Amino acid sequence: MVNAQPRNHTAEPVVPFWRNVKVIGILAQVAFVLVLVAGVGILVNNVTTALARANLPADFSFLRNPAGIPIAERPIPYQVTDTYARALLIGFLNTLKIAVVGVALATLIGVLVGVMRLSANWLLRTLATVYVEVLRNIPLAVQIVFWYSAILLPFPPRISDPVALPGGLLLSNVGLAFPALYPTYRFGSWVPFLVAAAVLAALAALWRVRQLRRLDQVGRVWPYPLVAFLVVAGGGLAFSYADRSVPPELAVSFDAERGRGTTTIAEDGRSRPAAFVPVRISLPTATLTTTSQNLVESREVVHGTFRFPLIKESEAEAFEFAFADPEAAAAQGLALHFTAFPSVGIVYADRNGNGELDEGEDVDPATGRGYGGQGVVMTLTGFERVVVSDRDGQVRMPLFKAPSAAEQAAAEPTTPAAGGGRFSAFGQAATSSGAAEVTLEATTELLPVGALVLSRAHVPVSNYEGGMRFTVNYLALLLALVIYTSAFIAEIVRGGILAVPKGQREAAHAVGLSGYQTFTLVVFPQAMRVVLPPMISQYLNLTKNSSLASLAGYAELFVIASVVSNQTGAAIPIALLLIGAYLLISLAFSLVLNNVNARLALVER
Amino acid sequence: MALIPPRPAPVPTSGPVYWLRRNLFSGPFNTVLTLVTGAVVAWALYNLATFVFVDASWEQVWRNMKLFGVYRYPTQYLWRPLLVAGVMLGLMGAMSGVAGRRSIIGSAFFALQGFVALVSVVAVLFWPSVRFLWPMALAIGFAGYLVGLRWPRVVRHLPWAWTVWLVGGAVLLLGVDSGGPFGRVPIRDWGGFLLTLILFTGIVPSFPIGVALALGRQSKLPAIKYFCIGFIEVVRGAPLIMWLFIASLLLPLILDVDANSLPAIMRAYVAITLFSAAYMAENVRGGLQAVPRGQSEAARALGLSAWQTTYLIVLPQALRAVIPAIVGQAIGLFKDTSLVFIVGLVDFFKVADIVSVQPESLLVTGGVKLEVFLFIAAIYFFFAYRMSIASRQLERRLGVGER
């Protein structure tokens, strides 16, 4: 605008050069660039002298040094001895991990709430409005801390007592674990099938496109390559399961006392850990010991709770329970009440002798507290569990002990009533005596497997093993990000639906479409065009907001970068790397946005 | 002669029963939906109410009110922040008096005064050290309103008054070295909601910078244009928490000063202002693009210079159109001030964190995290929601939403 001065249209250009717009423009730019260069030069000079004075790194060579940062959450293998570069890469992958899942869930909830805000039902509409207004107007930082340290950390069941949800899901204050499929040592035999399936799918797609063009028809392309792929790949998978033998190179060593084992594979005379091998571990008889505790859970005092590692009732033939000090327990009339058989329960004094936990029986009248500090012994017979070794070939089991002769001799029936419950008192069933079993017997058996193995999560000691895990940090951050972003997406969706002219809806009804068809075929596609650009900027916001991960203890890019920066003092290289990484993400999102806009424009015609 | 049979009474189209049938029970599906949602809502509300009124222990929140308000600002100097707040209310009151009680600024002012009145009552009853100070702030607010009502011409002096308030307020909060009633309060003792509000004023300097960047982005001079584009896009591309972190590390290096001589609040303020300016620039650009070309062409035809065209014709229209967006950005900034914990500042949010891990808090069965964070969430919500109401009113008033 500066150089758009009105032109003098008289005979000759009499504008002197100091009033010539072009000259002024060029001079202004030169001056600006000079000031900029000088300013930046002074600042850079300041920085380099300051760095040199403080002896801090100013280049990227520190990235090759060992990081020494423990990271709990790692999508790719990582050890503390790995380099800073790898630690930062883990952070970047963790950012992507939360961003991708977060975007999908936020869209789902956001669209749902956005549609709810336009519902004809007053209650639903109001509920959605309250949801949006409350969550939009509370800082995300507050919401993350709220979910993490006020809700998820103190409230859900402890890892020693996880909630088993349908589908093999385990939920506790350590996180959520669920079954997952992993590639085994036989995966290699499936690869040719996968390649063949991909080639066939491509050919099928090509053929279908040509057929449609030849017949000049409109039709779907995707079912043909999909079916072709599924048939060939599925056949290959089934074929990989046909071999029911276990290769002789495979071996497992298991130390039952330590509860640890390794699956190995021998190759060229050397054995190395074999990942994802299913092993059946059986123990003819074993014991577990724990101590009851008085503790606070979900803001309530829970008296005399005892917890064994999570064991399913179906995993053993028989369970027997006893107190570690049977005489003292019998003197007080102590008994066990299970809240989750056979792992969790409460120690109580069965004062009225009815064999059930009644009001007040969990509190010792002498002390006013629960029966904490009581040793409880579980004896299992015929225990059997199938576990899949992890990525490093490791197998973990609960820390079983051999039932020693001394314990057996000491074991007495605890209470007569306890024997009548769901478990038999230890003393009644234990008859063996004399022969001192010192070492714990365990038999291991490698199971045959195909290209993929289903690994289920279990809790051997105090953390999940097997399956796939979301830590509680990840869950809290995800929850907060998804809920916060979904409130914004709901508003965008609502705006988009309202932006579709009323006539469109009326016309759709007039041609006989149902309400559902009107929405999915007429309103929604048109709303998408308005909705997508702001929606993608919300996706970008979600990704950038994941940098608040430190509030939930999640090792995301910014968190790791700040740790690295504090360790090495390499503030400037780290700052450049961070800016670069975030610009990369922004660029990726704007590429997607442009692509989507182009496609929507095509649909628009 | 047969009589025409009487027609049935018309179905009522008003009244509570009609409203219920229409909005909640208009069909089997809707009825089921209402019942299920109603049950869930009732259950949630019951649990929330039980927690808030029965189970929660608000003791720790109540006892640490001063920390939440001003952190370690000395008690004998509390009249200073409250005087600054009072004068702010007074100036807002004067604007409301001029614009009217039902204007947008007026309704915001009275909502704020309601909040201050509530706190005043509590202060008079329970907090001896600020017993007279909160009512004083309230009174200054109403005095300002009456002045605005009586002498509407004060509106001409308000820009100056706001500037004096901004500078004078900063000086008053900081104090002077001489001691006495104006004793120096070191910046590291500032905190709590006071700090949140101070950082929130970063929106003010970000406005001229943002406008300059927006104009620069529209410039035909490539050097200026690409500098502005680069600045805006790079700053907007990365999260604020990263800029705060970088500012806290790099500002002392860049300016080549001792790290201790540059208080954390200053570094955070610079980062917040520049970050906000980049977003402001994009909002203003939206407004600049919305001004029809004919406006500036007509101005040029009338003989206005390029600068006159920009300042007298284009900017007033552009800024008017983006006022709701700027209020929206202010809400975002208000929420984002909670990120300054990363540079070690103790704002309202960080105080909650500190209170929740005090030894007394840990003694409470189950901790007090839930109480503390519900409390600050409620306060943040009150201010942010009030601003979003104002934003919506502005949108309706300016007709931006209907375009």
Side-chain angles (χ1 to χ4, degrees), chain A residues 1 4 6 29 43 46 53 121-124 133 136-137 139 145-146 299 484 544 547-548 565 578-579 586, chain B residues 23 30 33-34 38 221-223 236-237 239 241-242 249 254 256 279 300 306 335 339 370-371 373 381 392:
Chain A
M1 266 166 240
Q29 290 188 64
L43 298 183
N46 281 349
R53 198 166 52 224
N121 187 314
W122 176 85
L123 193 60
L124 216 56
E133 291 299 346
R136 275 202 315 184
N137 287 315
V145 178
F146 182 81
R299 308 177 72 97
Y484 183 74
K544 286 192 285 179
S547 56
L548 292 180
S565 164
L578 273 179
I579 294 173
S586 298
Chain B
N23 284 298
N30 246 334
L33 210 59
T34 301
L221 307 178
R236 274 161 35 100
I241 192 168
M242 191 202 84
L249 283 180
I254 288 176
D256 199 18
Y279 277 84
R300 299 312 303 279
K335 290 185 292 171
L339 304 186
L370 208 48
E371 288 89 342
F373 286 104
F381 174 76
R392 238 168 299 161

Side-chain angles (χ1 to χ4, degrees), chain B residues 153-187:
Chain B
R153 280 188 309 157
V154 295
V155 75
R156 278 186 299 173
H157 307 296
L158 280 177
W160 292 111
W162 277 113
T163 315
V164 169
W165 170 79
L166 204 63
V167 177
V171 172
L172 191 61
L173 285 177
L174 194 61
V176 288
D177 276 329
S178 62
F182 297 98
R184 167 90 67 204
V185 178
I187 289 186

Side-chain angles (χ1 to χ4, degrees), chain A residues 310-322:
Chain A
L310 184 71
I311 292 172
K312 271 183 262 162
E313 210 178 337
S314 57
E315 287 181 314
E317 284 162 15
F319 297 92
E320 289 146 20
F321 296 89

Side-chain angles (χ1 to χ4, degrees), chain A residues 169-307:
Chain A
L169 272 74
L170 295 176
L171 182 67
S172 76
N173 61 351
V174 168
L176 178 76
F178 49 92
L181 283 173
Y182 286 111
T184 65
Y185 54 88
R186 284 229 167 86
F187 190 75
S189 69
W190 192 34
V191 171
F193 287 94
L194 282 179
V195 173
V199 170
L200 206 67
L203 289 177
L206 215 63
W207 172 80
R208 176 66 175 160
V209 168
R210 286 224 177 132
Q211 185 202 31
L212 286 177
R213 200 174 295 153
R214 196 173 64 240
L215 299 175
D216 198 18
Q217 273 183 347
V218 176
R220 296 179 198 278
V221 173
W222 59 265
Y224 290 79
L226 188 71
V227 167
F229 185 88
L230 286 182
V231 165
V232 177
L237 191 61
F239 182 73
S240 77
Y241 279 95
D243 187 356
R244 304 303 294 168
S245 68
V246 176
E249 308 91 65
L250 223 53
V252 59
S253 63
F254 181 68
D255 181 349
E257 294 272 347
R258 288 178 57 229
R260 287 168 182 276
T262 314
T263 53
T264 51
I265 190 160
E267 240 172 36
D268 313 325
R270 293 198 4 237
S271 88
R272 57 176 184 81
F276 308 124
V277 181
V279 186
R280 180 187 289 128
I281 294 173
S282 333
L283 298 156
T285 168
T287 63
L288 278 171
T289 316
T290 188
T291 308
S292 65
Q293 283 177 302
N294 297 322
L295 39 81
V296 175
E297 201 157 83
S298 302
R299 308 177 72 97
E300 279 172 19
V301 181
V302 185
H303 294 299
T305 306
F306 63 91
R307 293 198 167 102

